[in-house]
Amino acid sequence: MKKSTRALVGLVVIDAVIILGAAWMIWQTKSGAWRAPDEAAAISAITTTAGGAIGIVTVLLLMASWMHRKRGN
């Protein structure tokens, strides 16, 4: 497998893990397993943080994939 393809596969896997983790945390908050003073604010914080993490990971791995393709890997 080429390095550029590995970077894209890694991007999908890491993004999926972040999405699943955020969904689990939201489910824990909504079910009452995790108590939050303001449930809406907690869910907003979870989704904002997950979205930021996905954005950073996506940009970094797309740049890595692009650089590997540029070099012929």
Side-chain angles (χ1 to χ4, degrees):
M1 184 182 301
K2 293 169 60 172
K3 289 181 181 179
S4 59
T5 305
R6 257 187 272 159
L8 292 176
V9 170
L11 177 139
V12 171
V13 170
I14 292 171
D15 282 353
V17 167
I18 293 171
I19 290 169
L20 290 173
W24 179 77
M25 289 169 43
I26 290 169
W27 179 72
Q28 291 293 319
T29 303
K30 282 189 173 186
S31 70
W34 290 358
R35 297 177 194 253
D38 185 8
E39 185 178 308
I43 291 172
S44 177
I46 292 167
T47 55
T48 301
T49 304
I54 288 172
I56 291 169
V57 167
T58 300
V59 167
L60 290 176
L61 289 177
L62 283 176
M63 287 175 37
S65 175
W66 179 74
M67 291 299 290
H68 284 301
R69 284 191 191 251
K70 185 177 174 183
R71 293 182 183 152
N73 293 332

